[in-house]
Amino acid sequence: MKKEGLDLVVQELLERSGSLVNIKLEGHFPGNRLAGGKYSMGSHTITLYIEEIKNQCYQLFSSGEQFWDYFAVVFAHELGHAEDKELEELAERLDLCGTEQERCQIALKIEENAWGFAEKLLPEMDKAFMRKIIYHSLKPYWDQLQLEPA
């Protein structure tokens, strides 16, 4: 992946969203999860993990052909967290949860908010492509809550 290409996608989506969030591009997520990105409220920073995003793309689509679109979708989702007006309140509620069920419901709401933002930010993105990514992202929450996808 050419860094210039990543920077162009980042710049375009930042401009489109109007976000002033800080961006960091890293190779690998420092943990045992296949996390493509994370948003830190404290520093108002999105960190994108390029190798993890590549691996996710290969897992979902069996090739890297759609990497640039996949990267844009992951970044748009993280921008959704950064620009979520409800995030601070939801994060506080998450910290105060009494049950695992309640915790999972709030976590699902946080993720749904970010995906809603991403969909609005990328109206030209192939709908089936985006739905597949969103489905796989939200499926662990639905499974835990024993819900059917909407």
Side-chain angles (χ1 to χ4, degrees):
M1 294 307 111
K2 290 200 162 48
K3 181 158 178 0
E4 303 83 49
L6 297 170
D7 290 339
L8 281 174
V9 173
V10 166
Q11 206 49 52
E12 181 187 331
L13 291 181
L14 278 175
E15 285 173 20
R16 205 185 278 192
S17 69
S19 181
L20 299 174
V21 69
N22 302 303
I23 309 297
K24 285 170 42 182
L25 300 176
E26 309 236 331
H28 289 280
F29 179 76
N32 291 335
R33 293 183 14 237
L34 193 59
K38 73 174 185 184
Y39 170 65
S40 170
M41 267 195 304
S43 62
H44 194 49
T45 301
I46 292 172
T47 307
L48 297 166
Y49 301 100
I50 307 311
E51 294 304 317
E52 266 59 47
I53 293 171
K54 258 192 255 180
N55 290 337
Q56 288 176 354
C57 186
Y58 271 95
Q59 280 186 359
L60 269 186
F61 298 102
S62 302
S63 94
E65 273 181 49
Q66 293 171 293
F67 171 80
W68 294 105
D69 284 344
Y70 193 88
F71 176 80
V73 169
V74 170
F75 180 47
H77 171 79
E78 295 304 327
L79 280 168
H81 288 307
E83 297 305 312
D84 185 354
K85 303 297 179 229
E86 288 184 272
L87 184 60
E88 200 169 327
E89 179 206 332
L90 288 168
E92 284 172 20
R93 286 179 45 206
L94 200 58
D95 289 341
L96 302 171
C97 279
T99 67
E100 192 55 38
Q101 178 88 354
E102 187 184 358
R103 193 175 175 68
C104 192
Q105 286 171 329
I106 294 169
L108 175 60
K109 173 71 173 142
I110 290 170
E111 292 304 310
E112 288 173 338
N113 286 358
W115 282 122
F117 183 92
E119 286 179 300
K120 288 186 187 100
L121 193 61
L122 297 169
E124 75 288 352
M125 188 64 66
D126 178 275
K127 300 291 178 236
F129 176 77
M130 198 142 178
R131 273 196 302 271
K132 183 172 183 174
I133 296 167
I134 294 169
Y135 172 83
H136 284 280
S137 169
L138 297 180
K139 189 175 182 327
Y141 300 96
W142 294 330
D143 289 351
Q144 191 167 348
L145 293 166
Q146 298 176 335
L147 297 172
E148 293 297 314

